[in-house]
Amino acid sequence: MAAEAGVDLSNVKGSGLGGRIRKQDVQQAIDAQKSQEAAPEAAAAPAAAPSAPKVEVSSLRGTEEKMPRIRKVIGQRMMESLHGMAQLTTAVEVDLTRIAKLRARAKDDFAAREGAKLTYLPFLMMAAIEGLKTYPQLNSTIDGDKIVYHGSENIGMAADTERGLVVPVIKNAGDLNLAGLARQIGDLGGRAKSSKLVPDDLAGATFTITNTGSGGALWDTPIVPAPQVGILGTGTITKRPAVIQNAEGDDTIAIRSMMYLFLSYDHRMVDGGDAARFLTSMKKRLEEGAFEAELGL
């Protein structure tokens, strides 16, 4: 066996009595020799190239169709808003780590108790509503040479559906608690996706929130829907290193849940300082994360 395989018996350690070489010792030496010969060949072989991802090709590719009425209406209103206002956008970065921890602790009990999902949007909406109460410039309308400061916060909630963009409205949102907002968001969002909204659901907004982050976008420059003077956008939440202060005031780096809030507004009514104060008030409210009472914690 050793001669046929080219094994040098002087290099084989015997396992028999007195160190005698047995058949299985020779077989182990043959197997080890084959493994050594195969290793360089395996190393020299090129690695298999990863397969290309399958591209999903839309059935609309290379076709044409009549523009749906909803797209015509959206396009017309957006153009009117852009040409009728002096629009610009301001943004802030917000640390949502405390909100994320609160939500993780409360979401299951909240759903069982309130019959609604506890997403991030109710927290963001409540902070925005409180900001609108403090800074009513953002919850106003220009009527000729008059400014109308609305006495209620009717929040338009931009929803992406198969039919296109629709904006159902939460009426008197300033009178609702976190659970009430969550129920309204779930109800209107569900009816929007199933095309069961009625005309009254889409009327009367005084301020709009668009959750651009649900599609993965960090931030956007949304167009203010006339006659409103402001629209708040919420970006996607990402975990990344951030500098924070500990209890002793020392700076440390930690992994935090971060997001951008961006506000587009009509500069005829709202100045940059107004926009910054509104966003900063939202940032402070969300980063403090004092929602335990609202969640029953």
Side-chain angles (χ1 to χ4, degrees):
M1 288 175 64
E4 289 177 359
V7 172
D8 184 355
L9 289 175
S10 64
N11 295 325
V12 179
K13 185 177 181 180
S15 61
L17 289 174
R20 294 184 61 160
I21 296 173
R22 301 193 299 167
K23 180 180 179 180
Q24 50 264 49
D25 300 328
V26 176
Q27 187 61 55
Q28 287 181 357
I30 292 171
D31 294 342
Q33 184 171 279
K34 287 180 178 178
S35 297
Q36 291 176 353
E37 292 172 350
E41 295 178 4
S51 57
K54 186 177 180 181
V55 178
E56 183 179 344
V57 180
S58 170
S59 60
L60 296 177
R61 187 170 185 260
T63 68
E64 60 180 63
E65 65 177 6
K66 184 178 180 181
M67 181 177 284
R69 181 177 179 277
I70 191 169
R71 288 251 55 91
K72 288 183 178 179
V73 172
I74 291 171
Q76 180 181 351
R77 289 180 179 172
M78 293 300 98
M79 290 297 291
E80 289 173 354
S81 292
L82 275 177
H83 290 295
M85 298 184 192
Q87 296 197 26
L88 67 161
T89 304
T90 298
V92 296
E93 189 176 36
V94 181
D95 185 344
L96 279 188
T97 305
R98 289 184 179 175
I99 299 294
K101 290 178 179 179
L102 274 177
R103 178 177 171 271
R105 286 171 53 198
K107 64 179 181 179
D108 292 338
D109 289 342
F110 184 91
R113 183 177 68 248
E114 304 294 345
K117 288 184 179 180
L118 183 61
T119 65
Y120 287 97
L121 189 54
F123 296 98
L124 298 167
M125 190 173 289
M126 175 165 276
I129 291 167
E130 292 173 0
L132 293 175
K133 290 179 178 180
T134 303
Y135 304 103
Q137 299 93 326
L138 272 300
N139 195 46
S140 67
T141 300
I142 298 175
D143 182 12
D145 59 355
K146 293 187 301 181
I147 299 171
V148 179
Y149 297 99
H150 299 294
S152 61
E153 294 76 31
N154 298 334
I155 306 299
M157 184 181 71
D160 181 29
T161 72
E162 291 184 357
R163 295 178 59 244
L165 178 68
V166 295
V167 188
V169 182
I170 300 177
K171 307 288 176 48
N172 299 306
D175 298 333
L176 300 176
N177 60 13
L178 196 71
L181 291 175
R183 285 193 292 268
Q184 286 287 304
I185 290 168
D187 173 56
L188 289 171
R191 289 196 286 125
K193 292 187 181 300
S194 59
S195 301
K196 293 182 180 179
L197 294 172
V198 298
D200 186 58
D201 292 327
L202 303 170
T206 61
F207 185 82
T208 295
I209 297 178
T210 177
N211 185 18
T212 311
S214 62
L218 285 174
W219 70 284
D220 194 8
T221 55
I223 297 173
V224 182
Q228 299 165 50
V229 298
I231 179 171
L232 176 75
T234 62
T236 193
I237 299 171
T238 59
K239 287 187 177 182
R240 61 176 180 269
V243 177
I244 61 172
Q245 277 194 342
N246 60 20
E248 290 74 33
D250 299 321
D251 290 337
T252 60
I253 296 177
I255 301 299
R256 310 294 287 181
S257 296
M258 307 296 291
M259 75 175 301
Y260 291 106
L261 295 177
F262 32 93
L263 177 73
S264 290
Y265 51 97
D266 186 351
H267 208 341
R268 297 177 303 165
M269 177 61 208
V270 181
D271 289 332
D274 300 322
R277 284 185 285 272
F278 171 79
L279 288 173
T280 301
S281 73
M282 283 193 65
K283 174 183 173 71
K284 181 180 179 182
R285 178 71 165 101
L286 293 167
E287 291 185 345
E288 287 176 347
F291 293 92
E292 288 89 350
E294 293 278 351
L295 297 171
L297 296 175

